[in-house]
Amino acid sequence: MRIPILKLHDCLLVSIQWELDDQTALQFQEDLLNKIHETNAKGVVIDITSIDFIDSFIAKVLGDVINMSTLMGAKVVITGIQPAVAITLIELGIGLEDVLTALDLEKGLEKLQQELGD
């Protein structure tokens, strides 16, 4: 299954609605980077509210997606991080120091628009 990536003005919205397996995570990484390139998106909001658990591989892929998106010039906001996911990311050393976060998708969009100066 592919994760839908929606375009809203100059931003991309991603809402991950199920636990990711390795194949889906890698496909998502490729799809998002291609979509940033195709649309020249300035920002990405990734909502992970539905993810209750994250393993080391998925955590690494998520960190890579964030870093790669930033390298391509898109600001990234992660929304809906569950407590167990936050703990796992920190324990695995996946640093999200420069990543904007918000409690939900609506607040994430607001934060992204502020960052982009819109």
Side-chain angles (χ1 to χ4, degrees):
M1 270 182 109
R2 285 197 154 154
I3 297 169
I5 302 170
L6 307 174
K7 185 176 184 310
L8 180 65
H9 305 293
D10 58 353
C11 299
L12 299 176
L13 304 178
V14 181
S15 182
I16 300 173
Q17 296 295 312
W18 59 86
E19 300 295 328
L20 296 175
D21 58 47
D22 294 357
Q23 176 82 21
T24 305
L26 290 173
Q27 186 64 57
F28 165 64
Q29 177 178 312
E30 185 177 329
D31 289 349
L32 181 60
L33 296 176
N34 285 333
K35 195 77 159 182
I36 291 170
H37 179 72
E38 289 168 12
T39 64
N40 198 28
K42 293 181 174 38
V44 178
V45 177
I46 302 173
D47 180 53
I48 59 172
T49 303
S50 297
I51 296 179
D52 296 321
F53 171 79
I54 193 167
D55 67 22
S56 60
F57 182 76
I58 303 300
K60 182 190 179 319
V61 170
L62 182 61
D64 289 349
V65 163
I66 293 165
N67 290 331
M68 291 174 188
S69 298
T70 302
L71 282 173
M72 293 182 71
K75 291 198 178 284
V76 179
V77 178
I78 302 293
T79 64
I81 298 176
Q82 300 297 325
V85 173
I87 291 166
T88 302
L89 289 170
I90 297 304
E91 286 178 347
L92 293 172
I94 308 291
L96 301 179
E97 297 85 17
D98 298 328
V99 178
L100 301 170
T101 59
L103 289 177
D104 59 37
L105 189 55
E106 182 179 0
K107 299 239 184 292
L109 277 170
E110 290 172 8
K111 188 172 274 194
L112 184 58
Q113 293 304 317
Q114 288 172 353
E115 282 294 311
L116 295 175
D118 294 344

